[in-house]
């Protein structure tokens, strides 16, 4: 059964099917998160917007993006608090791990 499931997922990924991810997040998370692949360009509207290692304002800041610069989102997620985030690079999203370069969606226009 595992081999068949893996084969079906690989086939879906190969043809570019959008597979949404939902999970419980970490043990400390209050609820579930929801993510889906996207391909959308945004413009930064905040003077200096933090780029985080996960989709939480409490996570480590790894970089900044600046007002009027364009960014491209590859994943669109809502965290357990209901806040929208997008991943703009090095994205890894599955039930077990979330990482990448995440920007709060409220700091973007598009």
């Amino acid at each position: 059964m595992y081999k068949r499931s893996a084969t079906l997922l690989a086939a879906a990924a190969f043809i570019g099917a959008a597979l949404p991810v939902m999970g419980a997040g970490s043990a400390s998370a209050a609820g579930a998160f929801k993510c889906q692949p996207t391909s959308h360009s945004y413009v930064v509207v905040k003077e200096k917007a933090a780029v985080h290692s996960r989709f939480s304002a409490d996570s480590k800041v790894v970089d900044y993006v600046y007002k009027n610069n364009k960014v491209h989102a590859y994943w669109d997620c809502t965290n357990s608090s209901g806040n929208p985030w997008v991943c703009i690079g090095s994205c890894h999203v599955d039930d077990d791990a979330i990482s990448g370069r995440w920007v709060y969606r409220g700091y973007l226009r598009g």
Side-chain angles (χ1 to χ4, degrees):
M1 177 68 179
Y2 173 78
K3 185 176 180 180
R4 181 169 185 217
S5 296
T7 302
L8 291 174
L9 285 174
F14 180 73
I15 63 172
L19 300 173
V21 176
M22 295 176 70
S26 68
S28 63
F33 63 86
K34 184 172 55 173
C35 293
Q36 63 184 28
T38 190
S39 180
H40 191 83
S41 293
Y42 295 97
V43 175
V44 180
V45 295
K46 186 174 181 180
E47 200 65 40
K48 181 180 178 182
V51 178
H52 294 268
S53 60
R54 294 179 47 88
F55 52 74
S56 169
D58 295 332
S59 65
K60 180 181 175 184
V61 174
V62 295
D63 200 0
Y64 292 93
V65 289
Y66 297 91
K67 188 171 186 171
N68 297 324
N69 285 340
K70 291 182 181 179
V71 295
H72 188 81
Y74 301 95
W75 281 88
D76 184 358
C77 296
T78 302
N79 66 13
S80 59
S81 300
N83 298 320
W85 291 76
V86 295
C87 184
I88 61 170
S90 302
C91 309
H92 177 82
V93 178
D94 65 30
D95 288 334
D96 299 322
I98 306 291
S99 62
R101 296 169 41 83
W102 295 88
V103 178
Y104 175 61
R105 175 67 180 83
Y107 298 154
L108 306 173
R109 177 184 72 229

